[in-house]
Structures are given as structure tokens and as C-alpha cells.
Amino acid sequence: MSVQERKERERAARERLIVATARELAEQQGWDAVTTRRLAERIEYSQPVLYSHFRGKREIIGAVALEGAAELAAVVRAAASAADGPRERVAALARAYLDFAERNPAVYDAMFQLDGGLAFADEDTPEPLKDAFAALLESLSEVAGDGVHPGLFTELFWAALHGVATLTRAGRLPPEYLEPRMELLVDRLAIT
């Protein structure tokens, strides 16, 4: 291995460490606790080293969001592929999505609530974000219905899931009705 390859590998490892540490700190204490000073202390590198990877917190949030999008796509695809039939796939997708949002609140915030400097629904949208949407589209397109654009249907279903996840987490919707809400959403929007 050349010196250059070793340096690139070490740089990539530091970057993964920064993102993992930011994510861990955000999940434990919230995004307000994620500062470059605190991250530098936790990873035992100087702030200039941290800034050599990310220009600031916004880029770190973006990196966490991209990692989260890749994880969400994998979770949704795994859940949908394990189910038989269109309705069951949509129900599994919805459960997996809501479970991901509940288990990873800081990551979910990085993806959808905070400014990570990422473009959505645009030519410049990063691949992990496009792939997360594609993971939803794969199952939802088969239940969109005649004459309904699959992408628009997926956007609407995603918006409903996001609303349920966000409002439940904020205490605006009673959590004990999460399953009936999800079932109603699937039954009304994804009838096959």
C-alpha cells in the first residue's frame, strides 16, 4: 500500500469517526450538544483537523443525513421484500419507516428537520436521498392506482408517514394509536 493510499484510508476513517461521534452525541443529548469543540474533544483530534473534513456543523448534519438515508432505504427494502403481496409490502414499509424514525430521532431530524445543506427533489439531490425515495417508490408504485402518478402517490404517502412520525414524537398524537393510524393509512391509501 502506498503512502497516499494509507493517508486516504486514514482520512476516510477519521471522517467516519466524526460522523459516528456526532450521531451518537446527537442521539444522546440532541443536536444542540453537537459542537465542533465537543466533537474534537470526543474524537481526540484538534478542531482544525475536524474542519479539514467538514466546514462546520451543517456539513456534519448533512453527512449524518446521507448515512441515515442509506440506512432507511435498506430497512424499508428489507421489510418490503419480506412481505407477501402489495398491501402487506406497503404495511411492512410503513412499519419499518415509523420504527426507523422512532429508533433514530437525531438521524431522522438530520434527514428531514435540520439544514444539512442537501438538495431534495432536485438534479443535485445526493444519491442516498434519491435511493431512499426509490425504496419507497418500489413498493408504493404498485398500489398507486390507475391514472395516478406513482411518484406523486409516493410523495403523498411519505408525507403522511412523516407527519405521523413527527407528530407522534412531538406528543401531538397519542403513541398508543400508532398502529391503528398506520393501518388506516395503509387501508385508505394503499387499497389493492
Side-chain angles (χ1 to χ4, degrees), residues 29 40 47 55 89 96 140 153 156 160 162 165 173-174 181 192:
Q29 299 177 29
Q47 283 182 293
R55 285 182 281 193
R89 276 191 287 281
L140 294 171
F153 181 79
L156 178 63
H162 175 70
L173 297 175
R181 258 184 228 106
T192 58

Side-chain angles (χ1 to χ4, degrees), residues 29 33 37 41 44 47 52 55 71 76 85 88 109 113 119 128-129 132 141 154 163 170 172 179 181 191:
Q29 299 177 29
R37 179 183 306 169
E41 288 170 5
E44 298 179 346
Q47 283 182 293
S52 74
R55 285 182 281 193
E71 291 172 15
V76 164
E88 292 77 15
D109 284 349
Q113 306 286 19
L129 298 178
S141 63
T154 300
R172 305 295 196 277
E179 186 68 21
R181 258 184 228 106
I191 295 174

Side-chain angles (χ1 to χ4, degrees), residues 165-180:
T166 303
L167 292 170
T168 301
R169 183 169 149 213
R172 305 295 196 277
L173 297 175
E176 63 269 18
Y177 295 112
L178 183 61
E179 186 68 21

Side-chain angles (χ1 to χ4, degrees), residues 75-77 79-80 83 88-98 135-140 157 161 182:
V75 164
V76 164
R77 283 189 175 107
E88 292 77 15
R89 276 191 287 281
V90 173
L93 172 152
R95 278 188 196 92
Y97 183 98
L98 294 172
L136 298 173
L137 181 65
E138 289 161 11
S139 292
L140 294 171
F157 199 88
L161 287 175
M182 192 276 309

Side-chain angles (χ1 to χ4, degrees), residues 118-129:
L118 304 173
F120 281 80
D122 190 78
E123 287 178 16
D124 297 333
T125 300
E127 233 8 84
L129 298 178

